[in-house]
Amino acid sequence: MYLNISKLNSFAKFFFLLLSLNAVGQEKNLKNIQKLTNGGDNAEAYFSPNSSLLTLQVSNPKANILCDQIYMYDLQSKSYSSENLKLISTGKGRTTCSYFMPDGKHIIYASTHASSEACPAPPKPKDGKYLWAVYPEFDIYIADLNGNIVKQLTNTPGYDAEAVVSPDGKKIAFTSTRSGDLELWTMDIDGSNLKQVTNGLGYDGGSFFSHDSKKLVFRSSRPKTEKDIKEYKDLLAENVVAPTEMEIYTCNVDGTDVKQVTHLGKANWAPFFSPNDKKIIFSSNHHSTRGYDFQLYMIDVDGTNLKQITWESEFNAFPMFSPDGKKLVWSSNRQQTAARETNVFIADWVDSDETENVKPEVLNKHISYLASDELKGRLTGSVGEQKAADYISAQFKALGLKPYSGKTYLQKFDYKVRLSPNDSITDKSETNYGRNVIAYLDNKAAKTIVIGAHYDHLGLNEHNNSTKPNSKGEIHNGADDNASGVSGVLELARMLSKNKTTEKANYIFALFSGEEDGLIGSKHMAETLKAKYPNVVAMINMDMIGRLSDKKEMIVGGVGTSPEFKKLVEKNKPAGFNVTTEDSGIGPTDHTSFYLKDISVLNFFTGTHGDYHKPSDDTDKINFNGVKNIVEFVFRIANDVADLDKVEFTKTKANAGKTRPKYKVTMGIMPDYSEHPDGLHVDGVTENRPAQVAGIKEGDVITKIGTTTIKDVYNYMEALGKINPGDELEVTYVRDGETKVTKVKFE
Ligand SMILES: [Zn+2]
């Protein structure tokens, strides 16, 4: 990012923080989504062996189904509705977890009816914790499709449930407390030959067989600390579990080769093997900022290539592939007609194009090289910049991309360089030489989209753009700024050129130099872009995408430069991201050069940080998973912009009060927006406003508001965001070297 105009702009950026957008994204793997039921709680729907029927669990007070019962659903029906449901459990007690037997004419399920015909009460939350019941009254039965029980498979005391049948028809796997802990067990299809499969402390459950019947996939909570172990045991003694920490595991059917597949945190559950057994689909809220936001994900059995499958509503779980692998059923609270209802959905399954997955190890390779000491900070015009340009050119060549113009990917330019940000350019100023590296992907389309990032950085601080005092001679590696954005462009070039789809746009992949000296390279390219490529409709820029925080906050700029852009950003945002949008096409980096040529722009940015423009902006601080998510986000947007009939350009106002967030309070000071090491400098105070009333004057340096330490304008805005009108807080400030404390009543 270019420092000089960034001060003002990053302040403006801050105004839109916390504008969290709802995710309505694209579900590329799910075509022809259809709602099968309407109303109530419909869950755990599983296919019959020939895919013509489902068995599922239903409760629906409006239909007088007061306690979970098992129903059959006929998928051959002319139209889909709850009228296709037929009760096949006894209607007594509570039931759960049904599954078809190999003949397709019987089901297996768990029920409490033998113990009592009444509905056992659901557990109450304890200490605010959501709990699942493991009713000891559950036993496993086989019934025909008219609801007649033909066999009871278990009769030991304690919980026996969650039974599933192997595709080869030989085995049943289920969960039982008969060993004293919740473990997976298997038996032969006739109920004989009982074997304990798992034996780790914790809830091993919800298992399903692989299609070759050799493996089980399951979810497990494995308490580790003494406190967690005690809590787990105490709850289990009361026949409940807290399903808030679960990960996905696999093992052989005999219990050997136990592998933990996910390490995501929070609740990862309801796993099912993909048709080729190489992947696992499951439900997870690991991304969520609230507890209740479950989306379907897919992951390779070795724990790599996590990919989000669903994007709609706050609950998606219990996925199952049809035995032929062509359909997916799952439960979701999308398309609700009343609050709290969960319905069963079916969709045609479309396999992902593997080349469209961003590979974190490839991002790591690109960033590690570009931000290595060997490249000495990639100062425009330096040997390190040339090495970086050679590296980028080699990547483009390996992908078979065409040069943008001429015979090589290089576009050279020269400019009068400012050796200090405060210098003015004169004829006597030194001339510096830079090179952009630009490639073209020809999809024979009517429009062209530029995807760009700058690859230059501050070198050894020869041009005095560092924020670290006296850092001349130190290598400024610029891993976030902006090896991260370069890695994104290189991955997008690979994905868009090597995938199976021919997009409805051509793409120009542009890596700029001269950015840190004032957007020089991008300005140079933008000058003649429309003469060379008159059908360019949009420019998407990435500058500093490497520092996604735990809160997953990022800023997307330029959404006001085309009427559709804001919607596209909302629609494609990764689950759990807090995306702040900014209308303006002007910002502290290269997209500005294109906006000023009337091209619609977007800029992706994970925010500034303490290592910004310092030698400490290094590869080890990069959040690679964050970069992956953002690059896949940009990929979806690059596709959606290509799909637009028309990309209309709109001029934006400079960031102004219009999009200011609604802070409930003000303090009545004018902050100094530039960075100082000692705190927030007060440039002025407003008469009769809280600061002035409390005795704060122009020139004071605020260091603390309440318990929040104030280092700059960002901390200040953050602190203000948490204060309510009427709150009275201590404000610490420094005046003439003396620390003072005053009480400010905010209004
Ligand atoms: Zn920069």
Side-chain angles (χ1 to χ4, degrees):
M1 189 163 70
Y2 170 51
L3 178 67
N4 292 21
I5 51 174
S6 75
K7 285 173 184 168
L8 240 176
N9 229 1
S10 27
F11 179 69
K13 271 167 191 160
F14 206 79
F15 275 125
F16 323 122
L17 237 126
L18 306 171
L19 174 79
S20 174
L21 305 164
N22 280 326
V24 183
Q26 52 191 46
E27 298 179 330
K28 273 194 166 183
N29 302 97
L30 305 171
K31 287 269 146 62
N32 190 24
I33 295 174
Q34 286 178 282
K35 185 176 173 182
L36 298 182
T37 57
N38 24 32
D41 206 342
N42 304 271
E44 300 197 54
Y46 302 121
F47 283 101
S48 63
N50 71 0
S51 306
S52 66
L53 301 170
L54 294 174
T55 174
L56 69 154
Q57 177 184 315
V58 180
S59 74
N60 187 0
K62 279 189 190 149
N64 210 27
I65 309 165
L66 302 175
C67 198
D68 292 332
Q69 292 295 322
I70 304 302
Y71 283 72
M72 185 176 82
Y73 190 98
D74 186 359
L75 288 167
Q76 314 287 323
S77 307
K78 282 188 195 108
S79 64
Y80 289 146
S81 85
S82 287
E83 285 177 13
N84 302 327
L85 289 168
K86 179 188 162 192
L87 179 68
I88 52 172
S89 55
T90 60
K92 294 163 190 162
R94 186 188 292 278
T95 66
T96 190
C97 304
S98 58
Y99 210 81
F100 271 95
M101 293 295 280
D103 64 1
K105 291 175 183 156
H106 294 84
I107 58 156
I108 188 170
Y109 71 99
S111 176
T112 63
H113 70 272
S115 150
S116 164
E117 294 191 358
C119 186
K124 289 197 184 79
K126 201 176 171 184
D127 307 327
K129 267 206 173 138
Y130 170 66
L131 298 172
W132 279 353
V134 281
Y135 301 107
E137 298 85 1
F138 268 135
D139 273 309
I140 300 172
Y141 300 87
I142 295 176
D144 66 20
L145 300 185
N146 292 312
N148 306 306
I149 287 177
V150 298
K151 189 169 184 176
Q152 179 168 355
L153 280 175
T154 65
N155 58 8
T156 50
Y159 181 79
D160 292 296
E162 306 171 18
V164 290
V165 180
S166 64
D168 66 7
K170 291 182 180 160
K171 294 238 174 237
I172 292 167
F174 65 106
T175 306
S176 175
T177 52
R178 61 186 68 204
S179 69
D181 189 26
L182 282 155
E183 305 290 3
L184 294 180
W185 288 71
T186 56
M187 56 179 141
D188 287 352
I189 198 79
D190 61 3
S192 66
N193 195 19
L194 271 161
K195 279 184 182 158
Q196 184 173 342
V197 176
T198 59
N199 42 44
L201 180 78
Y203 186 1
D204 298 332
S207 70
F208 289 94
F209 285 92
S210 59
H211 294 79
D212 63 9
S213 303
K214 290 181 178 160
K215 295 226 163 228
L216 288 169
V217 62
F218 59 103
R219 39 93 181 149
S220 178
S221 70
R222 296 263 170 119
K224 295 260 154 44
T225 65
E226 226 167 90
K227 180 176 159 276
D228 289 352
I229 289 169
K230 183 178 182 319
E231 185 188 307
Y232 170 77
K233 285 184 172 171
D234 289 352
L235 288 175
L236 189 59
E238 295 173 46
N239 300 310
V240 288
V241 290
T244 43
E245 300 267 335
M246 299 188 281
E247 299 288 352
I248 307 296
Y249 288 71
T250 58
C251 69
N252 291 331
V253 170
D254 64 5
T256 57
D257 198 24
V258 177
K259 281 185 186 147
Q260 183 172 348
V261 178
T262 61
H263 297 82
L264 295 168
K266 297 196 185 174
N268 302 282
W269 59 298
F272 199 88
F273 278 106
S274 69
N276 65 7
D277 290 337
K278 289 184 177 157
K279 291 171 179 286
I280 295 159
I281 189 167
F282 63 103
S283 180
S284 175
N285 68 344
H286 76 274
H287 59 270
S288 72
T289 42
R290 299 146 296 169
Y292 199 75
D293 181 8
F294 287 94
Q295 301 299 333
L296 297 182
Y297 285 83
M298 210 158 193
I299 195 164
D300 289 5
V301 288
D302 66 1
T304 61
N305 279 327
L306 180 71
K307 192 173 163 65
Q308 187 175 345
I309 304 298
T310 61
W311 302 75
E312 286 196 29
S313 87
E314 293 192 329
F315 184 78
N316 294 275
F318 309 114
M320 182 198 184
F321 284 101
S322 59
D324 63 8
K326 290 183 177 160
K327 305 246 182 211
L328 188 83
V329 286
W330 79 105
S331 300
S332 175
N333 63 11
R334 66 185 62 207
Q335 299 180 32
Q336 279 180 332
T337 52
R340 289 168 185 271
E341 68 180 42
T342 304
N343 287 294
V344 173
F345 293 81
I346 192 166
D348 300 331
W349 178 259
V350 183
D351 269 329
S352 302
D353 181 345
E354 293 298 321
T355 54
E356 294 180 356
N357 291 341
V358 172
K359 299 196 165 46
E361 64 275 18
V362 175
L363 299 170
N364 195 335
K365 187 188 87 178
H366 292 324
I367 296 173
S368 297
Y369 176 69
L370 293 167
S372 67
D373 285 355
E374 188 192 334
L375 270 60
K376 294 199 162 53
R378 311 184 302 280
L379 184 80
T380 306
S382 71
V383 174
E385 183 228 31
Q386 289 182 39
K387 282 187 180 175
D390 289 347
Y391 179 82
I392 295 161
S393 295
Q395 301 293 323
F396 285 160
K397 195 168 176 217
L399 294 172
L401 296 171
K402 294 178 182 174
Y404 163 76
S405 169
K407 288 193 175 126
T408 76
Y409 300 110
L410 299 181
Q411 182 188 49
K412 295 181 181 168
F413 59 89
D414 60 71
Y415 62 107
K416 295 284 184 195
V417 69
R418 221 186 280 262
L419 291 177
S420 160
N422 301 322
D423 281 0
S424 47
I425 300 277
T426 66
D427 291 344
K428 286 182 204 136
S429 302
E430 211 175 285
T431 299
N432 199 22
Y433 299 88
R435 70 222 81 210
N436 297 327
V437 193
I438 319 174
Y440 179 60
L441 170 62
D442 190 357
N443 279 334
K444 309 267 182 275
K447 56 169 124 36
T448 299
I449 297 167
V450 179
I451 299 179
H454 78 88
Y455 75 94
D456 67 303
H457 194 52
L458 309 183
L460 309 177
N461 195 25
E462 291 91 333
H463 298 174
N464 294 294
N465 285 322
S466 179
T467 57
K468 185 186 173 193
N470 309 317
S471 60
K472 208 161 237 179
E474 289 183 50
I475 303 175
H476 290 61
N477 285 319
D480 181 32
D481 187 8
N482 182 30
S484 66
V486 177
S487 75
V489 176
L490 292 178
E491 270 295 80
L492 288 162
R494 179 188 64 74
M495 292 153 80
L496 289 162
S497 62
K498 294 290 168 199
N499 66 354
K500 291 174 196 142
T501 314
T502 304
E503 293 77 18
K504 290 183 192 151
N506 315 305
Y507 293 93
I508 292 170
F509 304 104
L511 285 320
F512 312 111
S513 191
E515 194 268 359
E516 302 286 12
D517 285 334
L519 320 183
I520 312 290
S522 57
K523 269 181 220 163
H524 181 80
M525 177 182 171
E527 275 318 315
T528 54
L529 174 63
K530 280 197 173 168
K532 290 188 206 298
Y533 293 86
N535 64 1
V536 167
V537 293
M539 192 274 170
I540 302 173
N541 194 58
M542 286 167 280
D543 192 359
M544 299 172 67
I545 56 168
R547 295 288 192 107
L548 188 73
S549 68
D550 292 347
K551 287 181 185 160
K552 299 184 182 174
E553 286 165 340
M554 70 172 301
I555 299 140
V556 179
V559 299
T561 63
S562 189
E564 300 293 325
F565 278 5
K566 195 161 191 166
K567 259 184 271 168
L568 292 189
V569 168
E570 288 177 22
K571 179 181 156 211
N572 290 296
K573 161 189 104 121
F577 269 48
N578 289 306
V579 174
T580 297
T581 58
E582 223 181 68
D583 283 341
S584 177
I586 305 259
T589 180
D590 295 304
H591 63 289
T592 305
S593 305
F594 298 86
Y595 169 75
L596 294 173
K597 298 290 176 193
D598 293 352
I599 293 167
S600 301
V601 295
L602 284 172
N603 181 54
F604 292 78
F605 175 44
T606 48
T608 190
H609 46 78
D611 301 306
Y612 170 68
H613 278 201
K614 290 200 178 95
S616 50
D617 177 5
D618 279 323
T619 307
D620 59 350
K621 291 174 184 146
I622 297 293
N623 175 349
F624 287 102
N625 209 35
V627 180
K628 170 186 156 75
N629 273 295
I630 292 163
V631 175
E632 286 174 351
F633 180 17
V634 174
F635 177 80
R636 293 189 290 274
I637 288 187
N639 269 280
D640 277 8
V641 174
D643 289 343
L644 291 174
D645 289 336
K646 190 172 184 296
V647 183
E648 192 187 324
F649 172 76
T650 44
K651 274 209 155 59
T652 58
K653 285 186 193 137
N655 285 316
K658 193 180 115 209
T659 35
R660 223 168 235 264
K662 294 169 204 105
Y663 285 114
K664 286 168 280 188
V665 297
T666 59
M667 195 169 165
I669 63 162
M670 283 184 46
D672 176 353
Y673 300 150
S674 51
E675 289 175 51
H676 295 279
D678 51 349
L680 178 76
H681 288 222
V682 178
D683 269 0
V685 293
T686 312
E687 250 350 80
N688 296 320
R689 299 285 300 142
Q692 196 247 355
V693 171
I696 293 171
K697 290 182 181 165
E698 181 186 332
D700 290 347
V701 179
I702 294 173
T703 57
K704 213 170 180 188
I705 296 179
T707 54
T708 311
T709 303
I710 307 297
K711 285 189 186 145
D712 53 29
V713 74
Y714 300 106
N715 307 139
Y716 170 64
M717 299 309 292
E718 217 163 35
L720 276 198
K722 293 174 191 152
I723 300 171
N724 290 309
D727 285 359
E728 205 168 351
L729 293 176
E730 278 188 353
V731 173
T732 309
Y733 61 97
V734 180
R735 181 181 297 165
D736 304 326
E738 207 188 317
T739 301
K740 292 168 182 276
V741 179
T742 181
K743 279 214 158 168
V744 175
K745 191 168 182 186
F746 290 85
E747 47 185 61

